[in-house]
Every structure is written in C-alpha cells, then in structure tokens.
Amino acid sequence: MEDGDRDARPDASEPTVEFSLNAGGLRLLLDAVTFRLDRWPGGDPMEQADLQRMQVLLNAAILEVTFGETGMR
C-alpha cells in the first residue's frame, strides 16, 4: 500500500489492538497527540491527518466519559 492510498479505516490485513482507558488516560493521550500536532515539524501529511482524526476521536471520548459521569450524579 502506498502512502497516498492510506485512509482512516484499518486494513483487514494489518494487526489491530483494542484497549480501555479511563478519563485520566484519555486526557493524557489527548495531551500527547495535541503536543505532537502543536509542534508538527512537517513531513508525511497523512500522519498529520491521522493525528488530527485521533484528536477529534479522543475529544469525543472525553466528552462521552464526562457526560456519563454527570449522568451518574
């Protein structure tokens, strides 16, 4: 697969990993992704796009966790 052919969907032939994070873990991962994007040195634009998608997903997950915590009160 060439870099230009990459998209956000995982390739069925590539190994994948699933894991669970609490709110603190999500925030830590979001901070790391944001740090990387804020200091983007250039390079593969697909990597930057992947990080941007990851940032959006992590923000959504944090909102979901926060909303869930609020709903439990």
Side-chain angles (χ1 to χ4, degrees), residues 46-57:
M46 291 304 297
E47 181 182 350
Q48 186 179 28
D50 288 344
L51 287 167
Q52 289 167 336
R53 280 190 291 271
M54 185 180 289
Q55 187 180 42
V56 169
L57 290 172

Side-chain angles (χ1 to χ4, degrees), residues 8-69:
R9 291 173 288 150
D11 183 345
S13 66
E14 291 183 43
T16 60
V17 177
E18 291 184 31
F19 55 95
S20 299
L21 294 171
N22 62 16
L26 287 168
R27 287 184 187 97
L28 185 62
L29 190 53
L30 176 60
D31 286 348
V33 170
T34 300
F35 181 88
R36 177 76 170 140
L37 281 169
D38 287 348
R39 287 149 187 82
W40 183 252
D44 183 4
M46 291 304 297
E47 181 182 350
Q48 186 179 28
D50 288 344
L51 287 167
Q52 289 167 336
R53 280 190 291 271
M54 185 180 289
Q55 187 180 42
V56 169
L57 290 172
L58 289 167
N59 272 310
I62 289 170
L63 287 173
E64 188 173 321
V65 167
T66 302
F67 177 74
E69 288 175 356

